[in-house]
Amino acid sequence: QKDGYRFFMEKEIYEQSRVMSETMMGRVLDEAIAFDELDENFFEGISSIKICACGTSYHSALASAYLFERIAKVRCDVEIASEFRYKEPLLTKDTLFITISQSGETADTLEALKMAKRAGLKSLSICNVDNSSIVRESDTAILTRAGIEKGVASTKAFATQTMVLWMLALYAGQEKSTISKETLKNEITAMLQTPKALIVTDTLHTKLNRLSKRYLHGHGFFFIGRDIFYPLALEGALKLKEISYRHAEGYPAGEMKHGPIALADSELFTIALMPKTMHYDKIKSNVEELSARDATICAISPIPFDLADDFIQTTYDAHPMLEFFEMMVVTQLLALEISVRLGNDVDMPRNLAKSVTVE
Ligand code: F6R
């Protein structure tokens, strides 16, 4: 069943390219995004979006908030479902309530959805499991089509959730006429290249395998990024901590100087996401500050970076989402290889269950 891969997680990382094509099938057309699941004028009367989710699904939501605001010009807030439930949130009926869940059974996310429904909000879920509780409870559901995900550490579900959300932001932009035809066309062109950006090459995997042996000790990892690469940093750190049991944090790069930089020394491993298309100079100067404090830097970027102790050169440099997906694969494989070297059972990490159906 593992088809020659050591772990389901590894198999699922390799599957991402293929499942992404499935996610787009019939939805990404030549000059438009289409969702059979959505009624005509789905966004009519909607003036803001609230998204609730947990864990990895929460990270895809965070990334999408940048896209909804930038592309569709609609305000988007994201909340951790377990926090949302007890904060006595103020909800208004012009808010679209989106839940994101791989399993469709996460107790906190399901309860958040029920609360939103009681408040009369229109609900949409983005799920990987058809007929799951969250799908059944939502007014409308969009399936991510990632296929069964067995690895406890979510990979292909995250990739496909993020893709659906990107498509949905474009769909909203198209409906609300906040993007030009030309921009939409360019976005679609980039979107169609995603499966290619997710292909794992032997060269990359071998490189990460070799590099991983230098990252087994030390007192922790910081994954840093800006904009959509900040949620990706959070996700990279979550993946690493789940399966390696090493301390890892994701941080917005610009925040390091507001406290965390105090931790910097050669035993602090910084995984820097340095895309060319998104605030490159800003993140570069954040990484330079860390390097000046002797932090060990592993830079992931299409642009060679002299100060890096380790450098992983990515190939896409023309669209942020393609950079996002390519860097996502790098962080997933890095977590995998570090964890395998540490002798951990990557598919059954200690203390974790695939689906969290209790509060
Ligand atoms: C991390 C992971 C968890 C889940 C979270 C939500 O790799 O898998 O953080 O993302 O428990 O689960 P779903 O998406 O099923 O609601």
Side-chain angles (χ1 to χ4, degrees):
Q1 262 183 331
K2 285 184 205 151
D3 298 342
Y5 293 101
R6 295 165 296 173
F7 297 98
F8 282 111
M9 180 187 177
E10 185 177 36
K11 179 178 172 223
E12 287 160 5
I13 292 171
Y14 275 77
E15 276 173 1
Q16 291 180 120
S17 172
R18 179 180 56 77
V19 298
M20 209 54 126
S21 302
E22 313 248 327
T23 303
M24 289 192 286
M25 191 104 62
R27 293 169 172 167
V28 181
L29 313 179
D30 281 351
E31 295 190 347
I33 303 293
F35 278 110
D36 287 346
E37 299 86 343
L38 306 184
D39 301 335
E40 225 179 298
N41 303 323
F42 184 77
F43 286 91
E44 196 172 283
I46 297 297
S47 54
S48 71
I49 296 174
K50 181 170 289 288
I51 314 184
C52 271
C54 301
T56 287
S57 300
Y58 168 70
H59 296 153
S60 71
L62 284 178
S64 77
Y66 291 88
L67 305 179
F68 281 116
E69 299 207 346
R70 195 168 284 146
I71 298 170
K73 310 289 177 224
V74 54
R75 204 180 72 223
C76 181
D77 306 312
V78 180
E79 290 192 52
I80 290 179
S82 55
E83 285 299 312
F84 175 81
R85 283 180 67 175
Y86 296 105
K87 67 178 279 206
E88 298 178 30
L90 293 177
L91 301 171
T92 51
K93 290 198 174 119
D94 56 353
T95 299
L96 171 66
F97 192 80
I98 303 182
T99 45
I100 305 175
S101 175
Q102 187 286 127
S103 61
E105 301 298 342
T106 300
D108 285 318
T109 310
L110 179 60
E111 190 50 41
L113 169 60
K114 288 181 178 166
M115 276 173 62
K117 282 187 72 185
R118 282 196 293 272
L121 270 61
K122 179 169 176 169
S123 59
L124 167 68
S125 62
I126 295 171
C127 262
N128 197 38
V129 180
D130 197 6
N131 210 30
S132 55
S133 305
I134 289 176
V135 166
R136 279 185 273 117
E137 194 67 36
S138 311
D139 297 332
T140 310
I142 296 178
L143 294 178
T144 44
R145 305 180 184 159
I148 295 172
E149 190 179 64
K150 288 215 164 120
V152 168
S154 182
T155 53
K156 61 179 182 169
F158 174 74
T160 54
Q161 286 166 346
T162 309
M163 174 54 100
V164 166
L165 287 158
W166 178 19
M167 293 193 285
L168 192 64
L170 290 175
Y171 184 88
Q174 180 183 284
E175 190 188 308
K176 293 158 77 66
S177 303
T178 54
I179 43 168
S180 67
K181 282 212 160 57
E182 198 194 335
T183 308
L184 181 61
K185 183 106 182 86
N186 290 341
E187 292 284 299
I188 289 175
T189 304
M191 209 165 237
L192 293 171
Q193 288 180 60
T194 311
K196 215 165 145 221
L198 289 169
I199 292 173
V200 181
T201 62
D202 280 352
T203 322
L204 175 70
H205 202 158
T206 307
K207 176 160 186 155
L208 290 168
N209 171 284
R210 299 193 60 77
L211 188 145
S212 63
K213 61 172 176 270
R214 292 206 286 278
Y215 290 86
L216 303 181
H217 306 292
H219 56 65
F221 289 79
F222 267 84
F223 285 69
I224 59 169
R226 282 174 171 259
D227 206 282
I228 53 171
F229 295 85
Y230 160 48
L232 185 60
L234 291 173
E235 175 58 11
L238 177 63
K239 232 54 332 163
L240 186 68
K241 70 182 108 171
E242 281 183 288
I243 59 175
S244 74
Y245 320 139
R246 295 285 176 234
H247 181 75
E249 271 190 75
Y251 236 82
E255 271 292 293
M256 291 302 283
K257 62 166 77 66
H258 298 286
I261 202 164
L263 294 168
D265 64 16
S266 61
E267 297 294 292
L268 179 79
F269 300 143
T270 302
I271 314 294
L273 306 178
M274 305 174 70
K276 185 177 170 191
T277 53
M278 210 117 237
H279 319 306
Y280 181 80
D281 291 338
K282 298 274 177 218
I283 178 121
K284 182 164 171 269
S285 83
N286 300 139
V287 181
E288 282 164 358
E289 281 158 15
L290 281 156
S291 174
R293 272 94 184 165
D294 213 21
T296 298
I297 311 288
C298 174
I300 306 174
S301 181
I303 304 173
F305 182 59
D306 288 347
L307 294 176
D309 297 271
D310 284 301
F311 179 64
I312 299 158
Q313 183 147 24
T314 46
T315 50
Y316 287 82
D317 62 3
H319 193 286
M321 290 307 287
L322 291 173
E323 292 205 72
F324 180 101
F325 285 121
E326 192 182 11
M327 290 187 187
M328 175 197 75
V329 172
V330 174
T331 57
Q332 293 167 339
L333 284 173
L334 185 64
L336 176 87
E337 289 305 327
I338 290 174
S339 310
V340 172
R341 279 192 191 271
L342 290 167
N344 299 345
D345 182 345
V346 166
D347 284 334
M348 301 287 260
R350 69 185 186 202
N351 309 337
L352 296 177
K354 180 71 186 156
S355 180
V356 185
T357 53
V358 290
E359 194 179 334

